[in-house]
Amino acid sequence: MLTPAACAELIRSSRSLVALTGAGLSTAAGIPDFRGPQGLYVTRRYDPEKVFEISWFRREPQHFYAFSRDFVATATDVRPTFTHRFLARLEAQGGLLAVVTQNIDLLHQQAGSRSLIELHGSYDAAHCDGCGKRLAQLDYAWWQETMAASPDPPIARCSACGGVLKPEIVFFGELVHGLAEAEELVASCDLLLVLGSTLQVAPASLLPFATEATTVIVNQGEVALPPSPQRHFVEAELDDYFRQVAESLTAR
Ligand code: ZN
């Protein structure tokens, strides 16, 4: 296993570091996993198809918004983890080019990451299906207010025309955001960190194949990536591991 000190050394000597992050980083913060045994799909009986299929959203957005009401209520109280903040700090110090994430929960933004590709979008922006108006830099308080204004069924509506607002989250049946840019970043980086992703959801799962760079994969549980000489698999709790990495980085 790659020790935290050895990982710190790789980070220190990297000229172009990119991080790819997935659900494990969010669950560590307290965002419920959608798919796991305690996931919202299971515990709250949401049908993932009705919640996240774009064709369902066009017809009956109340399914998505019933889910969103719970998700937003949970996410409001969640704070970024040490690892989120570690990545943001690394970027601010010039040691990280970008974070590419599969997560939709705004935690990287809240931690201070600026060079950020949210492949599956987020609640940060929305547009109106009626008049086309676009709203940006939205936070969870805004979503709660807007959903509360149209509570039965809960749907966020456009203040200008009353149309249904669609958050710029990528639904099943829509293209992911920023994929070409993410591919380019990963292909040209000299160190790739893959954090908290099981690499089961395409196209993010394909990104590590786009590079010959040294790749450090930190996750609890299986990761769907074959071993190779340039890949280091670390089975660890993210915050535990990166607290030690951060200590090694500052120790010198
Ligand atoms: Zn509108």
Side-chain angles (χ1 to χ4, degrees):
M1 186 180 116
L2 189 72
T3 63
C7 182
E9 195 48 52
L10 288 174
I11 290 172
R12 194 181 286 122
S13 53
S14 166
R15 293 279 158 268
S16 52
L17 167 60
V18 172
L20 171 64
T21 71
L25 202 49
S26 296
T27 51
I31 297 276
D33 184 2
F34 297 163
R35 295 185 174 79
Q38 294 305 312
L40 287 172
Y41 292 160
V42 177
T43 55
R44 305 304 287 265
R45 299 170 198 278
Y46 294 122
D47 177 345
E49 204 174 295
K50 287 184 182 173
V51 171
F52 281 125
E53 283 274 359
I54 190 63
S55 55
W56 273 99
F57 183 81
R58 300 283 179 226
R59 290 196 306 270
E60 297 180 12
Q62 63 267 33
H63 303 293
F64 170 77
Y65 274 112
F67 165 87
S68 279
R69 188 173 47 185
D70 285 350
F71 183 85
V72 166
T74 303
T76 299
D77 297 327
V78 166
R79 297 290 169 266
T81 66
F82 179 86
T83 306
H84 286 100
R85 288 182 277 116
F86 172 77
L87 293 175
R89 206 161 50 233
L90 213 51
E91 181 194 338
Q93 293 164 352
L96 175 84
L97 281 185
V99 173
V100 179
T101 188
Q102 298 168 277
N103 301 332
I104 63 168
D105 50 40
L106 301 175
L107 287 173
H108 282 298
Q109 294 192 30
Q110 288 173 9
S113 287
R114 292 292 166 262
S115 176
L116 177 65
I117 299 178
E118 294 170 313
L119 292 171
H120 297 163
S122 74
Y123 284 91
D124 175 60
H127 60 267
C128 171
D129 275 350
C131 67
K133 181 176 164 183
R134 185 170 190 270
L135 302 155
Q137 292 183 307
L138 307 176
D139 60 19
Y140 289 125
W142 182 91
W143 281 103
Q144 279 189 316
E145 264 172 48
T146 307
M147 285 189 280
S150 173
D152 193 25
I155 288 176
R157 292 191 177 277
C158 173
S159 60
C161 78
V164 174
L165 290 175
K166 182 187 176 295
E168 293 182 359
I169 289 170
V170 175
F171 282 53
F172 300 133
E174 292 188 307
L175 290 175
V176 302
H177 297 174
L179 184 60
E181 197 190 340
E183 278 170 347
E184 208 176 296
L185 275 164
V186 170
S188 60
C189 75
D190 66 4
L191 177 61
L192 177 66
L193 303 178
V194 180
L195 310 181
S197 177
T198 55
L199 295 175
Q200 282 169 335
V201 180
S205 58
L206 303 175
L207 287 172
F209 292 95
T211 185
E212 298 290 309
T214 301
T215 302
V216 179
I217 300 110
V218 187
N219 192 49
Q220 281 181 310
E222 288 279 299
V223 177
L225 192 65
S228 87
Q230 98 257 19
R231 292 180 186 144
H232 303 276
F233 292 85
V234 178
E235 168 104 27
E237 205 267 312
L238 283 164
D239 280 3
D240 280 353
Y241 189 76
F242 280 100
R243 275 204 179 87
Q244 295 176 62
V245 171
E247 274 168 27
S248 292
L249 278 172
T250 51
R252 225 178 64 166

